């Protein structure tokens, strides 16, 4: 025992780079275990899930050692590393396969808080809980919302991708209140986006929210309001009709002939809803 202790003392402590490589090796092993989980029998699935969990735990321990080594050397990891992003993704995948809603939320929150995690990582998380086998609608909406926040935080957002995420959010909404919230977000984004200039001279898309997606968003919002109105739900219809009109104001070339009638209907429904609410 003494000899082992002396040999251990002589062995140099792993450098941060070595620990980072060790973390990635653990994560690769964990990823392979999750791949086995997809097609294995019940026993193999349990074993692969257990192995993936152990690999993530080992990666976490290596991360702690890496942070300590970096601190001792006077450095740090700032907004996290790629290994941190992959760790959160694997923890999310493990939680999904275990049906652990709290684990999903914790892994998502950890990932969203890392500067090194981009919208693409959060959209991968969204894809996991969009799968019927691992369906968690509230976590799906949270992942899409976090991805949208990452996209909009950029100085020059990727507008086609922003539009895609907004469309996904509209489809993922499971309640009237959630749907209204998504359309409110969409209206704000349309208001903040630069004018869409169509297609550039070389065929590439130019800046601005894609007009086709803006039309879809405005039309979907307005039609959702009409559907509520047909069911006699004026209070539910009013915000959707108002938001649909707000979006149309950013589409001057679309819907112009009917706009006056639409504004009249929205005002009438809004007044009726306000009167009923009072």
């Amino acid at each position: 025992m003494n000899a082992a202790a002396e040999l251990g003392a002589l062995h140099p402590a792993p450098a941060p780079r070595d620990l980072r490589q060790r973390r990635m090796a653990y994560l690769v092993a964990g990823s392979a275990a999750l791949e086995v989980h997809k097609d294995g029998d019940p026993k193999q699935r349990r074993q692969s899930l257990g192995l993936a969990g152990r690999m993530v735990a080992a990666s976490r321990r290596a991360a702690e050692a890496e942070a300590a080594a970096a601190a001792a050397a006077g450095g740090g990891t700032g907004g996290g590393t790629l290994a941190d992003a992959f760790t959160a993704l694997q923890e999310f995948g493990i939680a999904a396969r275990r049906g652990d809603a709290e684990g999903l939320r914790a892994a998502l929150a950890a990932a969203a808080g890392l500067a090194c995690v981009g919208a693409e990582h959060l959209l991968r998380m969204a894809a996991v809980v969009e799968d019927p086998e691992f369906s968690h609608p509230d976590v799906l909406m949270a992942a899409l919302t976090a991805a949208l926040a990452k996209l909009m935080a950029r100085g020059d957002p990727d507008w086609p991708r922003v539009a895609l995420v907004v469309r996904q959010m509209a489809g993922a909404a499971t309640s009237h209140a959630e749907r209204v919230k998504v359309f409110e977000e969409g209206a704000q984004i349309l208001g903040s986006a630069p004018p869409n200039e169509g297609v550039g001279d070389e065929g590439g898309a130019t800046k601005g929210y894609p007009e086709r997606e803006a039309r879809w968003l405005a039309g979907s919002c307005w039609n959702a309001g009409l559907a509520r109105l047909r069911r006699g739900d004026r209070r539910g219809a009013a915000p959707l009709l108002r938001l649909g009109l707000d979006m149309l104001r950013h589409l001057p070339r679309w819907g112009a002939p009917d706009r006056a009638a639409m504004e009249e209907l929205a005002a009438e429904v809004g007044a009726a809803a306000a009167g009923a609410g009072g």
Side-chain angles (χ1 to χ4, degrees), residues 164-176:
L164 175 62
V165 174
V166 171
R167 182 187 275 259
Q168 286 181 275
M169 290 172 68
T174 57
S175 68
H176 173 65

Side-chain angles (χ1 to χ4, degrees), residues 3-263:
E6 290 173 4
L7 287 172
L10 291 172
H11 194 278
R17 179 182 176 183
D18 297 327
L19 290 165
R20 198 171 304 123
Q21 291 175 342
R22 189 178 299 177
R23 288 186 68 190
M24 292 305 296
Y26 288 136
L27 293 171
V28 168
S31 179
L34 289 180
E35 285 298 316
V36 171
H37 184 274
K38 290 180 181 178
D39 303 314
D41 58 37
K43 181 179 179 181
Q44 289 174 325
R45 288 163 72 93
R46 286 194 303 272
Q47 291 175 337
S48 63
L49 200 55
L51 176 59
R54 291 193 296 276
M55 291 299 98
V56 168
S59 174
R60 285 289 187 196
R61 290 193 295 272
E64 292 171 1
E66 179 189 353
T77 57
T81 65
L82 193 59
D84 293 317
F86 286 153
T87 299
L89 281 167
Q90 283 200 20
E91 287 177 333
F92 192 86
I94 292 168
R97 287 159 178 80
R98 288 176 174 165
D100 179 4
E102 287 304 316
L104 285 168
R105 296 186 189 98
L108 175 59
L114 292 171
C116 64
V117 168
E120 64 276 11
H121 300 108
L122 298 167
L123 290 173
R124 284 173 62 184
M125 290 180 162
V128 170
V129 288
E130 196 173 23
D131 187 323
E133 185 179 357
F134 311 121
S135 178
H136 284 273
D138 62 318
V139 181
L140 170 60
M141 182 60 79
L144 292 172
T145 301
L148 182 62
K150 290 278 186 179
L151 288 169
M152 293 302 296
R154 295 175 53 183
D156 183 18
D158 181 343
W159 292 109
R161 179 168 277 193
V162 167
L164 175 62
V165 174
V166 171
R167 182 187 275 259
Q168 286 181 275
M169 290 172 68
T174 57
S175 68
H176 173 65
E178 199 168 52
R179 195 166 292 110
V180 169
K181 186 176 180 180
V182 170
F183 285 130
E184 285 176 340
E185 183 79 16
Q188 290 175 6
I189 289 172
L190 283 182
S192 67
N196 185 280
E197 299 171 359
V199 178
D201 294 337
E202 298 180 2
T206 57
K207 65 181 181 179
Y209 202 97
E211 185 169 342
R212 182 176 179 179
E213 287 297 319
R215 289 182 178 187
W216 176 88
L217 188 62
S220 296
C221 184
W222 178 264
N223 289 336
L226 290 181
R228 286 267 167 182
L229 187 59
R230 282 194 292 269
R231 295 199 296 269
D233 181 10
R234 291 178 297 186
R235 187 179 297 180
L240 293 168
L241 296 177
R242 174 181 53 78
L243 286 167
L245 277 176
D246 287 346
M247 295 182 205
L248 276 178
R249 294 190 179 98
H250 304 292
L251 295 164
R253 294 178 294 177
W254 192 57
D258 302 317
R259 194 158 304 183
M262 294 169 74
E263 289 176 353

